[in-house]
Amino acid sequence: MTSSSAVYSALAPYGWDDDWADAFGPYASEGLLPGRVVRVDRGQCDVVTAGGAVRADTAFVTPHDPLRVVCTGDWVAVEAGGNPRYVRAYLPRRTAFVRSTSSKRSDGQILAANVDHAVVAVSLAVDLDLGRVERFLALAWESGAQPVVVLTKADLVTDPVTLAHLAQDVENTAPGVPVVAASAHTGDGLDVLRALVGDGTSVLLGQSGAGKSTLANALIGEDVMDVRAARDVDGKGRHTTTTRNLLALPGGGVLIDTPGLRGVGLYDAESGVGQVFAEIEELAERCRFHDCAHESEPGCAVRAAVDAGELPVRRLESYRKLVRENQWIVAKTDARLRAEIRRDWKRKGAEGRAAMQAKRGRWT
């Protein structure tokens, strides 16, 4: 049996601590080994243990709920021997990054577990899509992790004033979130990013072609991730990373690289949306009606801020879009909420018809 000191020595670079050791206690008495999942692939996973990396089957912990499958970043209890080996359980997750699946069902897909920092990679090789940034940040906040935005390929923006303006646009979109302009080619900004992710576990997120794998290689200090060029026309690339891989960083911390995400659907992210649009939520508290939709209601503090030029129209439209999307994904599994949404639509429709009839009465 591997000693506890040997376990700490081997697993500390991957995030093992006293709390994880305490959580693992019941499994240790069963003769199981602790380890962290560094990769999952077709019902099997690679697990780093105090005795080295092992390949294990996840059949014993593959429930019907897709949010409870073994995921990259999980701490697991794995059999000490056997062929094949099996993962017997995973420890309760501290955080989980979840998005909705691309299917029409209301399923969620867990992308990474036990993450402290969610690093959103945004390429400066193409025009900024602030709405997509807000979407990633909503999921990041909801996961329980601290978001970080990295503006990759910063060397392509040669004018420092333009670069500063782009960074400011993202900062205004991401209240409370560090924004770093970085270039894996020149090394600019990498020291700042290393300091941010040098403690705990970070997951690297973004579209294909955002430069995630190149950035991961720069942080790790060697070419461990495959890299392919993005298309010049739209900055998009093919999925060079096809699985989620967990890697220990040489200066401390752990990095999970993920495949490029074409679809980033919200999954029960109400609090995450609220944090991304904190200024709108604060304004909404001053609206006359507690259920104000910030459209045409009298006494709407949000609309007043838009009219006064204090709140960008784009920001309000993005907020409405994400709120509606999140309501629908939750409503798919919540009959009560579905009924409330239908009643709200009927009420607004009746109010609209009444207002139109009143106008017609004035015209006649």
Side-chain angles (χ1 to χ4, degrees), residues 280-329:
I280 296 179
E281 298 265 303
E282 184 177 345
L283 286 167
E285 293 179 359
R286 302 205 297 268
C287 291
R288 181 182 302 178
F289 303 108
H290 75 277
D291 59 348
C292 183
H294 319 309
E295 293 176 350
S296 58
E297 297 88 345
C300 175
V302 175
R303 289 298 316 179
V306 171
D307 294 341
E310 299 169 358
L311 178 67
V313 174
R314 186 210 67 79
R315 186 92 167 136
L316 177 56
E317 291 175 346
S318 182
Y319 171 73
R320 286 173 175 161
K321 179 180 180 180
L322 293 187
V323 166
R324 286 195 301 267
E325 179 181 328
N326 192 68
Q327 285 178 334
W328 270 115
I329 194 67

Side-chain angles (χ1 to χ4, degrees), residues 57-101:
D57 196 299
T58 64
F60 281 100
V61 281
T62 306
H64 295 298
D65 184 352
L67 296 181
R68 296 175 59 197
V69 299
V70 171
C71 178
T72 302
D74 272 327
W75 286 99
V76 296
V78 66
E79 292 175 342
N83 186 20
R85 287 188 175 184
Y86 287 95
V87 171
R88 290 293 177 172
Y90 64 81
L91 302 186
R93 293 162 176 157
R94 295 177 182 175
T95 62
F97 192 96
V98 179
R99 68 164 178 174
S100 66
T101 61

Side-chain angles (χ1 to χ4, degrees), residues 94-111:
R94 295 177 182 175
T95 62
F97 192 96
V98 179
R99 68 164 178 174
S100 66
T101 61
S102 57
S103 70
K104 294 183 179 179
R105 302 190 305 272
S106 55
D107 295 337
Q109 178 189 21
I110 182 166
L111 299 181

Side-chain angles (χ1 to χ4, degrees), residues 146-347:
Q146 165 66 51
V148 177
V149 176
V150 180
L151 303 179
T152 64
K153 308 182 184 182
D155 56 290
L156 298 181
V157 183
T158 56
D159 180 13
V161 175
T162 301
L163 181 59
H165 283 310
L166 291 171
Q168 185 62 55
D169 286 343
V170 177
E171 288 173 0
N172 293 338
T173 299
V177 176
V179 177
V180 181
S183 168
H185 178 66
T186 65
D188 291 342
L190 293 183
D191 287 345
V192 176
L193 184 56
R194 287 191 184 98
L196 288 171
V197 303
D199 182 26
T201 299
S202 302
V203 61
L204 191 54
L205 306 158
Q207 286 184 284
S208 298
K212 298 187 306 302
S213 295
T214 303
L215 186 62
N217 287 336
L219 292 173
I220 295 166
E222 57 181 300
D223 292 341
V224 296
M225 305 304 298
D226 185 24
V227 176
R228 298 175 190 165
R231 299 187 302 231
D232 291 336
V233 63
D234 56 11
K236 295 181 180 179
R238 289 179 293 173
H239 291 311
T240 56
T241 302
T242 57
T243 59
R244 288 171 281 280
N245 302 281
L246 184 148
L247 305 159
L249 297 174
V254 175
L255 182 69
I256 299 175
D257 191 20
T258 65
L261 302 175
R262 290 191 179 93
V264 193
L266 299 186
Y267 185 79
D268 197 4
E270 180 180 359
S271 64
V273 173
Q275 284 186 272
V276 174
F277 299 94
E279 81 279 28
I280 296 179
E281 298 265 303
E282 184 177 345
L283 286 167
E285 293 179 359
R286 302 205 297 268
C287 291
R288 181 182 302 178
F289 303 108
H290 75 277
D291 59 348
C292 183
H294 319 309
E295 293 176 350
S296 58
E297 297 88 345
C300 175
V302 175
R303 289 298 316 179
V306 171
D307 294 341
E310 299 169 358
L311 178 67
V313 174
R314 186 210 67 79
R315 186 92 167 136
L316 177 56
E317 291 175 346
S318 182
Y319 171 73
R320 286 173 175 161
K321 179 180 180 180
L322 293 187
V323 166
R324 286 195 301 267
E325 179 181 328
N326 192 68
Q327 285 178 334
W328 270 115
I329 194 67
V330 174
K332 286 181 179 180
T333 56
D334 189 330
R336 181 183 59 80
L337 181 57
R338 283 200 302 273
E340 288 179 358
I341 291 175
R342 291 193 185 99
R343 284 196 298 269
D344 187 52
W345 278 11
K346 289 180 180 179
R347 177 181 62 80

